Amino acid sequence: MSTSFAPSLSSLAAPLVAPHGVLRVAINLGNPVLAKLDATGEPSGISADLSRILADQLGVGIAWRIFKKADESVQCVRADEADIGFFAIDPVRGEGLHFSPPYVDIEGAYMVRSDSPLQSNEQVDQAGNRVTVGAGSAYDLFLTRHLKHAPIVRAPSSPAVVDVFMAQQLEVAAGVKQQLQADAQRLPGVRLLPGRFMVIHQAMGMPAQRSAQAREHLNAFVEDVKRSGWVAEAFVRHGIQGASVAPAGYPAHD
């Protein structure tokens, strides 16, 4: 389902949102719920689809900036080397970025071994529980603030978390619930703790120095794709579970 904006709004917004005449898009492949590469090497998933819809509305092409880690994507947009990116709303990342209202809420979960004594999320924060997480990910930022006793072991990227967890015989792996569920199905002797330890509000972002009009257009675009039902349809189209459409009315952040 495509979104619709008045042509005059799009023509006015294009030089504000994409001032170089092309929409430069930072795509982070670290979260498989949102983005990956297809068989041809082109970006696919909700992030890529949203980028194409926005570019169509603005009447411009797309130049992809593809990264394997969230913090690399953040730095690209913050430095105005991309016009938009897709980020978890987090106060640490907020400097130099404007976050739209969220379009997706994603659950974060813990994985342990089947014989682990841990039975709940509340039991994780103990000195003997080493928790591995993707370096610079939203989960890393959140757990760095909230874990007071459990040491954090940072994997090179979010997709590498379970490999590090297994190779180093760590006690806990933390990350995207859907990805951990998929890993649990392919690996023997592991399980997820019930529930979630956090919810990530996933938003679109642009450089903070962009005009108020550019920020307002991005905000309206995100609210429209939620309201139209497009995001919910994208979940079905991409076979996404473990995530939900973010509710309307969540504020944008500068």
Side-chain angles (χ1 to χ4, degrees):
M1 177 182 295
S2 63
T3 60
S4 59
F5 292 97
S8 60
L9 178 60
S10 292
S11 63
L12 290 173
L16 302 175
V17 177
H20 297 273
V22 64
L23 186 65
R24 303 172 301 165
V25 179
I27 291 286
N28 166 37
L29 302 179
N31 187 339
V33 172
L34 301 176
K36 55 187 176 182
L37 298 181
D38 64 19
T40 69
E42 283 293 302
S44 66
I46 292 180
S47 297
D49 291 351
L50 282 170
S51 303
R52 293 183 177 102
I53 292 172
L54 179 58
D56 286 346
Q57 294 294 337
L58 297 173
V60 298
I62 293 179
W64 301 107
R65 310 283 194 267
I66 300 174
F67 301 96
K68 294 182 178 180
K69 297 173 61 176
D71 56 349
E72 295 173 345
S73 180
V74 168
Q75 292 298 334
C76 178
V77 177
R78 186 179 286 158
D80 199 12
E81 295 174 357
D83 302 305
I84 63 167
F86 298 83
F87 311 118
I89 297 174
D90 185 277
V92 174
R93 289 181 177 166
E95 182 180 357
L97 294 177
H98 165 75
F99 293 120
S100 75
Y103 60 95
V104 172
D105 289 341
I106 302 173
E107 296 180 339
Y110 290 130
M111 172 188 281
V112 298
R113 286 178 172 74
S114 298
D115 59 358
S116 170
L118 299 176
Q119 299 297 326
S120 71
N121 295 326
E122 292 73 24
Q123 296 174 326
V124 167
D125 193 12
Q126 302 175 34
N129 295 328
R130 295 165 298 171
V131 180
T132 185
V133 66
S137 68
Y139 307 95
D140 181 7
L141 300 177
F142 178 88
L143 293 176
T144 297
R145 292 193 299 270
H146 289 86
L147 292 183
K148 306 302 181 185
H149 307 288
I152 295 175
V153 178
R154 291 174 175 85
S157 64
S158 291
V161 163
V162 172
D163 290 339
V164 171
F165 167 72
M166 299 296 289
Q168 298 188 24
Q169 294 291 301
L170 303 176
E171 287 73 32
V172 182
V176 178
K177 186 172 186 178
Q178 184 196 39
Q179 182 62 57
L180 293 180
Q181 288 172 329
D183 290 330
Q185 291 178 355
R186 69 179 177 85
L187 295 172
V190 297
R191 59 182 169 85
L192 269 64
L193 294 182
R196 65 198 188 193
F197 69 86
M198 69 175 297
V199 175
I200 287 180
H201 302 294
Q202 195 76 24
M204 295 180 72
M206 63 171 38
Q209 61 265 40
R210 293 296 168 83
S211 67
Q213 293 91 337
R215 298 194 298 269
E216 289 168 3
H217 181 76
L218 186 66
N219 298 345
F221 172 78
V222 170
E223 289 297 311
D224 190 49
V225 293
K226 291 189 294 183
R227 183 175 55 251
S228 70
W230 183 91
V231 176
E233 289 185 357
F235 283 2
V236 176
R237 185 169 63 253
H238 292 289
I240 292 172
Q241 299 177 349
S244 59
V245 181
Y250 193 98
H253 292 265
D254 290 311

